[in-house]
């Protein structure tokens, strides 16, 4: 999921343990189509953040299949109190990822108080050992990047490594966020699988998956120019189910930290890989 940039503030090979190959794994995780709603609250903020309070809501809709590709519709709305003023931010993102052909399209609009601040539209693909990005907005241009993973492909890696017991690994990820012109290095830490504890109110919101086991996951994102020797520009922790659903989010932006609690979960009609009948 894309939740890294708040003014553009879910669903990621280098070092540590080896990554799974870039191609789709032979055993593709069964990621289910779903719509998840998260209530957001400010957990902590430094004095230099200029933030006295923040609340919001995030809606994440994930649909598709491994053979037809995956679409993500994402909306992230926050109300920020700086003490002197209150402003509303609204990020709206749509992506489509074909993990088989290694193609990815993205479109993001970011608003402040209903005024459009930024619009980023583009596509990316693996071509001849490079990741080629074709941006149409804000400025038309083409960019060549080091090969990396797209968001759903990275989710494959996290789940497969978790199932194999590989707890730490690094990847290069491109998700089209910010200006859509660079990838980031990520370091992923996966804890041991565990079951929800009695009295876990948020787990009950997961419906049929209320008692399903999950992995605690933390992903740190690093600037490509400085690498993992520097502090991460963003860190996200969450509970991950084998079907791709996440809950109990913590989003650490350095100067402030947000939490996201699962408020509602709808499982959507799955898309199959079967060809339509010939008439």
């Amino acid at each position: 999921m894309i939740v890294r940039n708040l003014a553009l503030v879910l669903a990621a090979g280098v070092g540590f343990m080896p990554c799974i190959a870039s191609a789709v794994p032979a055993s593709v995780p069964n990621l289910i189509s779903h719509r998840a709603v998260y209530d957001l609250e400010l957990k902590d903020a430094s004095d230099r953040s200029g933030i006295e309070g923040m609340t919001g809501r995030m809606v994440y809709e994930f649909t598709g299949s491994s053979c037809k590709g995956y679409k993500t519709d994402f909306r992230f709305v926050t109300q920020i109190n700086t003490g002197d003023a209150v402003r509303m931010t609204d990020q709206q993102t749509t992506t489509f990822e074909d993990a088989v052909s290694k193609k990815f399209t993205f479109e993001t609009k970011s608003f402040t108080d209903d005024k459009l601040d930024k619009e980023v539209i583009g596509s990316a693909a693996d071509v001849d050992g490079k990741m080629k990005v074709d941006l149409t907005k804000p400025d038309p241009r083409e960019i060549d990047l080091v090969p990396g993973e797209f968001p759903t492909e990275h989710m494959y890696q996290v789940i497969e490594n978790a199932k194999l017991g590989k707890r730490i690994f690094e990847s290069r990820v491109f998700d089209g966020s910010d200006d859509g012109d660079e990838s980031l290095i990520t370091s992923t830490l996966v804890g041991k699988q565990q079951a929800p504890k009695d009295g876990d109110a948020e787990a009950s919101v997961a419906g049929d998956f209320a008692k399903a086991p999950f992995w605690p996951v933390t992903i740190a994102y690093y600037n490509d120019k400085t690498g993992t020797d520097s502090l991460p520009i963003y860190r996200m922790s969450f509970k991950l189910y084998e079907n791709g659903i996440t809950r109990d989010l913590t989003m650490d932006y350095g100067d402030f930290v947000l939490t996201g609690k699962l408020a509602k979960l709808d499982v959507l009609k799955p898309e199959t890989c079967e060809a339509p009948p010939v008439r």
Side-chain angles (χ1 to χ4, degrees):
M1 65 170 63
I2 301 174
V3 236
R4 196 169 63 245
N5 193 334
L6 180 62
L8 164 36
V9 150
L10 250 108
V14 197
F16 288 12
M17 290 188 177
C19 294
I20 295 175
S22 295
V24 179
S27 176
V28 175
N30 183 26
L31 305 181
I32 67 169
S33 296
H34 66 282
R35 182 186 300 110
V37 179
Y38 303 88
D39 288 335
L40 308 175
E41 288 187 358
L42 182 66
K43 180 180 180 181
D44 189 29
S46 67
D47 291 338
R48 66 180 181 180
S49 72
I51 297 173
E52 292 192 2
M54 186 186 303
T55 58
R57 173 158 282 197
M58 183 169 69
V59 181
Y60 175 82
E61 183 172 301
F62 180 85
T63 57
S65 65
S66 59
C67 56
K68 297 179 180 179
Y70 291 102
K71 181 185 178 185
T72 299
D73 289 297
F74 171 85
R75 189 169 184 183
F76 193 113
V77 179
T78 59
Q79 181 174 284
I80 304 171
N81 183 354
T82 63
D84 298 322
V86 176
R87 67 178 186 269
M88 187 79 71
T89 69
D90 184 355
Q91 176 193 340
Q92 302 171 20
T93 297
T94 297
T95 68
F96 179 79
E97 179 179 344
D98 186 338
V100 176
S101 63
K102 292 280 286 180
K103 294 181 179 180
F104 181 71
T105 62
F106 52 94
E107 178 176 354
T108 295
K109 294 181 179 181
S110 301
F111 301 83
T112 300
D113 295 332
D114 296 324
K115 180 181 178 181
L116 180 64
D117 288 328
K118 180 186 287 189
E119 184 174 13
V120 179
I121 301 176
S123 61
D126 271 3
V127 180
D128 298 329
K130 295 181 179 179
M131 179 175 289
K132 292 188 174 290
V133 180
D134 185 3
L135 283 174
T136 56
K137 287 188 177 182
D139 301 305
R141 54 189 172 129
E142 295 182 354
I143 305 148
D144 287 344
L145 299 176
V146 176
E149 317 302 333
F150 298 128
T152 302
E153 192 171 25
H154 184 231
M155 181 64 78
Y156 288 163
Q157 290 187 351
V158 175
I159 293 172
E160 287 300 296
N161 276 324
K163 290 166 67 176
L164 292 171
K166 296 180 179 179
R167 302 303 179 195
I168 303 174
F169 67 98
E170 293 186 1
S171 296
R172 182 181 297 275
V173 179
F174 178 85
D175 60 16
S177 60
D178 296 323
D179 294 321
D181 58 357
E182 64 178 349
S183 56
L184 294 178
I185 297 173
T186 66
S187 177
T188 300
L189 173 64
V190 182
K192 291 184 178 180
Q193 192 175 53
Q194 54 190 263
K197 297 179 181 179
D198 292 339
D200 187 339
E202 190 191 22
S204 65
V205 179
D208 291 343
F209 312 108
K211 297 183 179 180
F214 59 82
W215 294 281
V217 176
T218 296
I219 303 177
Y221 294 79
Y222 296 87
N223 188 293
D224 187 31
K225 297 179 179 62
T226 57
T228 55
D229 290 336
S230 62
L231 292 174
I233 60 175
Y234 169 70
R235 183 185 288 110
M236 185 172 184
S237 299
F238 50 90
K239 293 180 171 69
L240 172 66
Y241 292 89
E242 190 173 341
N243 55 23
I245 291 174
T246 60
R247 67 176 181 91
D248 195 10
L249 315 178
T250 300
M251 295 162 278
D252 186 346
Y253 296 89
D255 287 340
F256 66 96
V257 181
L258 290 177
T259 59
K261 298 298 182 183
L262 184 64
K264 185 179 181 182
L265 176 67
D266 295 316
V267 175
L268 306 178
K269 182 179 179 180
E271 294 187 18
T272 67
C273 292
E274 296 178 3
V278 179
R279 297 191 179 186

